[in-house]
Amino acid sequence: MIDNSLLSSKAGKYGIDLVGIVSKTLLSSISDQVISANVGRKLAFFKGDISDRMDYKKEMEDTEGIIAFGISYASSIKMPEDGENRLRISKCAYGEDYHEVLMRAGRALAGEVFSASGAKYKVFADTGIFLDRIAAYCAGLGFYGKNNFIINEKYGSFIFLGHILTDMPLDCDVSPVPSLCGDCHKCLTACPAKAYGDSVLDYGKCTSYITQKQGGYGKGGYIYGCDVCQDVCPFNLSAPKDLHKCFSTTIDKAFPEAETLVNMNKDEFDETYGNSSLAWRGFERIKNNALMYMSDKK
Ligand code: B12
Ligand code: SF4
Ligand code: SF4
């Protein structure tokens, strides 16, 4: 029988830090609240609306069970103190492309646990219609922080999330993890772009969206993504770091010298970042972001 203890006992060997079966009761009890909180909201990188994103059957019609999983990418690497001429790349692009890492890990876990039954499964990490955060929350992997991240008490929020849909009936009795934010609101006030209203993200203002979609940069020289609202979170300060070698990087890749990056040709860029999630946005976008930052800094 596939249950949480079986999944946890197998997950570690595939580099998965957190895993759990989605509770159908919890999912159906929060669905209406999530939909009404986001109704009419235009979603980033998605044509449908919030009810589509809550509907896992749109991805696999005969889904009977969902497994959520997470892999830590917390990093201890820091901008050098004399780094005023350096740029910043978000932690989500350190090391190997996280989509590849999560898909590989999820497929390996699913392959092992479903092989005997022959159950059908599909693995997603950022790539599905159903929201990874909702799956994680309903599997008890963490709480919803005020910054809308899924935060695990031990690992913090620097965890990539994925989920597995299967036609095998799976369910579990999990209680939602209550928010541990308390009176803290560091993430909301630290956001340099003022992208959080009353905890609802206006993604059009978020540096992460701007650097990926329309072109631009963020405070401190972010030219891809942004980590400010996570860096300040107490749960990330105490979380274990550098758990997976695949997400390790070097100072010169995480905080490249601005001159070096803008003078790279496409081959040099590919050699440095071709294997990372940075490559998704392409050489031209990243280089232009850097040029915009340098010209405004003058
Ligand atoms: C599109 C997208 C983006 C867009 C838009 C984000 C957005 N929030 O709209 C942009 C490009 C801005 C973005 C940026 C980033 N993203 Co992104 N993104 C996604 C993606 C593909 C879909 C998210 C989405 O559309 N959400 C829809 C909106 C409505 O959800 P939401 O804002 O989280 O709102 C939640 C609340 O409304 C909550 N809620 C409301 N009412 C209620 C009531 C109850 C009871 C409950 C329980 C919940 C609840 O539920 C909503 C759903 O989560 C997911 C992967 C996926 N397929 O799920 C990754 C994902 C959310 N991103 C992730 C990451 C890491 C990032 C970045 C940190 C990358 C970076 N370093 O730059 C930034 C952070 C920006 C930020 N402050 O959130 C991770 C988050 C991991 C985690 N631990 O939470 C995900 C899950 C990717 C992954 N597979 O790991 N992202
Ligand atoms: S990722 Fe950066 S810009 Fe976006 S909400 Fe967080 S702190 Fe603000
Ligand atoms: S910074 Fe504070 S309010 Fe924001 S998510 Fe972390 S604990 Fe919650």
Side-chain angles (χ1 to χ4, degrees), residues 2-21 67-71 101-116 121 123 162-164:
I2 297 175
D3 59 14
N4 279 341
S5 60
L6 177 94
L7 291 170
S8 300
S9 72
K10 308 272 181 205
K13 74 173 155 177
Y14 301 118
I16 292 173
D17 299 305
L18 295 165
V19 67
I21 294 170
I67 295 169
F69 63 100
I71 300 185
V101 174
L102 269 86
M103 294 298 280
R104 193 166 62 228
R107 282 186 187 133
L109 176 68
E112 181 174 347
V113 299
F114 295 125
S115 61
Y121 62 84
V123 182
H163 65 271
I164 303 165

Side-chain angles (χ1 to χ4, degrees), residues 149 187 190-196 201 205-208 226-229:
F149 280 86
C187 51
C191 171
K194 302 206 177 344
Y196 290 109
L201 180 76
K205 289 185 183 164
C206 173
T207 301
S208 184
C226 171
D227 294 321
V228 176
C229 55

Side-chain angles (χ1 to χ4, degrees), residues 76-89 91 94 220-222 251 254-257 293:
S76 61
I77 203 161
K78 294 252 173 343
M79 167 76 106
E81 282 187 11
D82 61 349
E84 61 278 0
N85 295 321
R86 290 180 183 263
L87 304 162
R88 285 175 202 265
I89 308 286
K91 294 178 186 41
Y94 290 1
Y222 274 104
I251 300 250
F255 308 105
E257 293 280 358
Y293 174 69

Side-chain angles (χ1 to χ4, degrees), residues 38 90 126 132-133 137 144 150 157 159 161 196 208 225-226:
N38 291 289
S90 139
D126 229 19
D132 291 317
R133 282 173 169 169
Y137 180 76
Y144 259 97
I150 294 296
S157 68
I159 36 172
L161 303 173
Y196 290 109
S208 184
C226 171

Side-chain angles (χ1 to χ4, degrees), residues 143 145-147 151 180-181 184-187 229 232-235:
F143 65 91
K146 285 183 191 167
N147 53 12
I151 305 178
L180 295 172
C181 289
C184 176
H185 46 77
K186 287 187 168 144
C187 51
C229 55
V232 296
C233 178
F235 290 96

Side-chain angles (χ1 to χ4, degrees), residues 112-184:
E112 181 174 347
V113 299
F114 295 125
S115 61
S117 64
K120 187 168 107 184
Y121 62 84
K122 279 189 180 177
V123 182
F124 304 90
D126 229 19
T127 46
I129 292 177
F130 188 52
L131 293 169
D132 291 317
R133 282 173 169 169
I134 294 291
Y137 180 76
C138 293
L141 303 194
F143 65 91
Y144 259 97
K146 285 183 191 167
N147 53 12
N148 290 298
F149 280 86
I150 294 296
I151 305 178
N152 176 272
E153 195 173 354
K154 174 178 170 193
Y155 292 102
S157 68
F158 287 117
I159 36 172
F160 292 125
L161 303 173
H163 65 271
I164 303 165
L165 303 181
T166 174
D167 61 354
M168 177 186 277
L170 293 177
D171 203 355
C172 118
D173 183 16
V174 82
S175 305
V177 184
S179 170
L180 295 172
C181 289
D183 292 338
C184 176

